Amino acid sequence: MFEALPPAPTDKILALIELYRADPRPGKLDLGVGVYKDRDGRTPVMRAVREAEKRLLASQETKTYLGLVGDAAFNMAMIRLVFGENADTARIRAAQTPGGSGALRLCAELIKRSRPEATVWVSDPTWANHVPILRDTGLKVREYPYFDADTGTVRFEAMLEALAKAESGDAVLLHGCCHNPTGANLNEAQWTALAGLLADKRLLPFIDIAYQGFGEGLDADAAGLRIVAAKVPEMVAAASCSKNFAVYRDRVGAAMVMGTNGTQADAALGHMLAAARTLYSMPPDHGAAAVRIVLGDPALRADWEAELDETRNRMLSLRVKFAEALRQRSNSDRFDFIASHRGMFSRLGLTEAQVERLRNDHGVYMVGDSRINVAGLPEDRLDDLAKAIVAVLD
Ligand code: LMR
């Protein structure tokens, strides 16, 4: 029965992992998948997470089911981390999910069940897995303009203009911070204007917050989401702990819904959980339990925040140094935007052919749209990298 299957679509980010692994060249450089790396190219287990895991192993007496919603204390801690300590918890609910992708899928399922004809508007460009998740859920997808490749900035007026034409009841998928793949983000005034439009037009905000703490700080990175939450009656949000707790393979995330009141939020959560039951039933426990222990213990939490600060500051300093190296090598300000972008990614503005030449001639791996993972930049070889990039420009 499988003979009629066409080849399955491949994810361009995950495909790159395989290509990189298969490359025997010793000096090869991985700027592909969004995984944090330290100076030595390692992705360490965070100190506080390791300690929380020790405590978990020492105290865990059973591995019986927790239920569809997962760990209730984890869910509440995530609501406070994302929506803030003063979050209106009477009308916000969360379900623990397998990673941010699981959360995105549950939010999409909720939209599909609430309003099957809804269109979800996504930024042009957006994360490679957004549209597949939405389409597999059966939702219609349209793009709104977002990124100006010439200036490296957000096309905010064009974005508002497009969203003003969306139908009431449509959903708008937004990156809460650290836009993936561009690194170009909305400022506070823009979030405020956008929140007004979403409320006036009765569009459902659908916020993907996968890099909280990687841009400006834990609270600063959630500021846009909180501005929106203060203005609209309902919204959904998908949070990931993959990056900020470095628990990538443990699959830890949360799907959140804010309702007009608690009863409606409960009903919405119920539908997300009904979808979860058929998709994967219950979320894995281990990583979420470790995150719950970290967030609930003041000393561990302080240590986690300190390590997260180091992570962010390293990426910020790499941005500045890399922009400077490119300025020197290209003798232009063409790449200066890298220093002002925030988060794990920036898009260099190279063509697919230039990206391929970098891979073939220089062993430099980046996503085909020229997205780089800033954390993968080699601190001691920035000038060589800048030289290779400038070499493929002509
Ligand atoms: C990325 O964008 O590289 C990460 O979110 C990892 C992934 O699953 O694509």
Side-chain angles (χ1 to χ4, degrees):
M1 84 196 283
F2 306 133
E3 67 276 5
L5 280 176
T10 46
D11 181 292
K12 61 181 183 188
I13 298 172
L14 301 186
L16 213 55
I17 300 180
E18 300 308 322
L19 278 181
Y20 178 78
R21 273 196 195 131
D23 187 336
R25 286 174 288 182
K28 64 184 178 176
L29 182 64
D30 180 12
L31 303 178
V33 67
V35 164
Y36 178 73
K37 290 182 216 160
D38 66 13
R39 228 169 234 100
D40 306 317
R42 294 173 314 139
T43 304
V45 179
M46 292 179 90
R47 295 184 301 257
V49 170
R50 194 181 283 289
E51 176 57 29
E53 286 182 305
K54 277 193 203 148
R55 292 185 197 177
L56 183 61
L57 284 185
S59 64
Q60 192 168 54
E61 280 169 358
T62 176
K63 285 186 183 286
T64 188
Y65 292 123
L66 271 179
L68 293 171
V69 82
D71 182 325
F74 165 83
N75 289 330
M76 186 47 84
M78 287 301 290
I79 290 175
R80 293 197 188 284
L81 184 69
V82 171
F83 283 84
E85 286 305 322
N86 300 322
D88 187 358
T89 51
R91 61 189 187 101
I92 304 175
R93 302 288 180 268
Q96 182 192 319
T97 56
S101 293
L104 286 165
R105 181 64 188 247
L106 289 201
C107 292
E109 292 284 346
L110 174 61
I111 294 169
K112 177 73 181 164
R113 284 158 189 249
S114 312
R115 194 165 176 273
E117 71 282 14
T119 293
V120 181
W121 293 75
V122 301
S123 61
D124 172 24
T126 195
W127 180 46
N129 203 18
H130 274 156
V131 174
I133 287 175
L134 296 167
R135 292 235 164 96
D136 272 9
T137 311
L139 287 161
K140 282 180 286 188
V141 180
R142 282 186 69 177
E143 286 183 333
Y144 57 83
Y146 185 79
F147 187 59
D148 183 336
D150 291 334
T151 59
T153 56
V154 177
R155 298 176 60 197
F156 189 62
E157 290 309 319
M159 173 181 176
L160 284 194
E161 217 172 282
L163 292 179
K165 293 188 198 121
E167 259 184 49
S168 156
D170 281 354
V172 182
L173 181 53
L174 300 156
H175 299 227
C177 60
C178 307
H179 187 269
N180 180 2
T182 70
N185 300 297
L186 302 181
N187 62 33
E188 222 171 285
Q190 290 170 330
W191 275 109
T192 305
L194 177 63
L197 176 91
L198 295 169
D200 291 348
K201 294 265 322 175
R202 303 197 69 79
L203 301 170
L204 183 79
F206 178 175
I207 301 190
D208 181 359
I209 182 153
Y211 294 85
Q212 191 181 355
F214 269 38
E216 307 273 3
L218 281 169
D219 284 322
D221 289 350
L225 178 146
R226 294 175 193 170
I227 288 170
V228 171
K231 198 93 182 203
V232 300
E234 299 175 320
M235 66 186 280
V236 290
S240 172
C241 299
S242 295
K243 332 280 164 167
N244 53 9
F245 285 88
V247 288
Y248 306 87
R249 66 173 66 165
D250 287 342
R251 312 309 297 138
V252 189
M256 306 188 193
V257 54
M258 185 176 87
T260 308
N261 54 47
T263 312
Q264 288 182 20
D266 284 334
L269 176 70
H271 281 280
M272 292 204 292
L273 298 180
R277 179 67 171 150
T278 62
L279 288 165
Y280 56 78
S281 196
M282 286 169 258
D285 173 63
H286 178 85
V291 168
R292 183 245 303 150
I293 292 169
V294 171
L295 289 177
D297 180 293
L300 285 186
R301 186 178 177 127
D303 188 50
W304 167 66
E305 289 190 15
E307 196 170 355
L308 186 59
D309 286 349
E310 284 164 31
T311 301
R312 180 179 59 254
N313 289 333
R314 191 177 113 75
M315 287 188 289
L316 286 177
S317 98
L318 279 169
R319 282 186 174 283
V320 172
K321 288 181 194 157
F322 187 45
E324 181 54 31
L326 280 164
R327 175 176 266 264
Q328 298 289 338
R329 281 287 169 188
S330 67
N331 206 14
S332 79
D333 57 7
R334 164 175 180 175
F335 296 103
D336 279 9
F337 62 85
I338 293 169
S340 56
H341 281 174
R342 288 295 175 268
M344 196 166 224
F345 308 111
S346 271
R347 220 156 82 156
L348 296 184
L350 309 180
T351 63
E352 294 251 353
Q354 290 167 336
V355 169
E356 211 173 300
R357 270 183 66 199
L358 273 170
R359 193 162 70 228
N360 295 339
D361 300 353
H362 302 275
V364 176
Y365 286 73
M366 63 183 70
V367 184
D369 61 5
S370 73
R371 184 194 84 167
I372 57 159
N373 170 7
V374 173
L377 290 170
E379 242 172 275
D380 48 351
R381 289 194 288 141
L382 285 178
D383 184 52
D384 292 346
L385 178 61
K387 196 168 144 197
I389 289 170
V390 171
V392 302
L393 286 181
D394 29 69

